């Protein structure tokens, strides 16, 4: 459905924009794959492994939405 696809694209764009605006970055020192979860954990003062587990669970529940968001953040966030 076109409307559903459009809503998903707009949602992904808004989430990526929000991450950039709020100063999120990937972590080069504590990364497993792309450093996105470690960077989110550092910004929110959470354990990186907790963020990783929550990301995997959210990925399973969301039907791939979180995986696409992870890849977009991995590509676009600055590295620290």
């Amino acid at each position: 459905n076109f409307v559903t696809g459009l809503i998903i694209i707009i949602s992904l764009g808004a989430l990526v924009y929000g991450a950039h605006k709020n100063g999120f970055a990937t972590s080069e020192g504590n990364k497993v794959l792309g450093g996105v979860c470690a960077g989110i954990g550092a910004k929110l003062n959470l354990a990186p492994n907790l963020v990783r587990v929550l990301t995997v669970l959210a990925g399973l529940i969301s039907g791939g939405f979180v995986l696409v968001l992870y890849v977009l953040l991995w590509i676009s966030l600055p590295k620290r």
Side-chain angles (χ1 to χ4, degrees):
N1 185 328
F2 176 76
V3 174
T4 303
L6 188 60
I7 291 171
I8 290 171
I9 290 171
I10 291 170
S11 299
L12 284 169
L15 289 168
V16 171
Y17 173 77
H20 281 271
K21 185 175 177 183
N22 289 307
F24 283 87
T26 60
S27 172
E28 286 293 308
N30 193 11
K31 69 180 185 177
V32 171
L33 184 60
V36 175
C37 292
I40 291 171
K43 179 72 175 172
L44 300 177
N45 200 24
L46 296 171
N49 286 335
L50 174 64
V51 177
R52 290 178 183 118
V53 168
L54 294 174
T55 301
V56 169
L57 291 175
L60 294 172
I61 293 169
S62 72
F65 182 82
V66 171
L67 176 62
V68 173
L69 178 61
Y70 183 93
V71 171
L72 289 173
L73 291 173
W74 184 5
I75 292 168
S76 67
L77 285 179
K79 289 154 182 52
R80 289 198 186 131

